[in-house]
Amino acid sequence: MERDEQNNRVYNEQNIELIKLIACLRRLNVPISKIKQNIDVNHFNDESLENILLEHKRVLREKVEEYTEYINEIDDKLERQLTSN
């Protein structure tokens, strides 16, 4: 990491773009380990970023399905509760 005379870090445009990308991936709940793995290997290329996003999208869709099932179970229980009273 480059530093100035006061020992402060100096960020270039590439560093700033990488920080923005990492922040975006974290907002999407991409695991830090997955982000770190790709930074360590190749500083993200278009293909690795696409693979990460596609995999994460798949995982999110599975969670949506899972949560939808939970909501349906709750609705069923509420409906049974209401009809039994």
Side-chain angles (χ1 to χ4, degrees), residues 8-64:
N8 294 317
R9 293 179 180 168
V10 177
Y11 296 99
N12 61 31
E13 194 63 36
Q14 184 179 6
N15 298 138
I16 293 169
E17 288 303 315
L18 181 59
I19 291 167
K20 287 179 181 178
L21 175 60
I22 292 168
C24 174
L25 293 172
R26 287 303 298 142
R27 281 193 304 277
L28 295 170
N29 291 321
V30 173
I32 292 172
S33 60
K34 183 65 98 173
I35 296 170
K36 183 176 180 343
Q37 175 185 8
N38 280 275
I39 289 174
D40 290 346
V41 170
N42 59 11
H43 288 311
F44 289 105
N45 60 39
D46 289 342
E47 184 179 338
S48 69
L49 179 57
E50 181 180 4
N51 289 339
I52 290 170
L53 293 174
L54 287 172
E55 173 64 15
H56 191 62
K57 184 177 178 180
R58 184 191 64 73
V59 169
L60 289 175
R61 284 198 170 141
E62 287 177 2
K63 286 184 179 185
V64 166

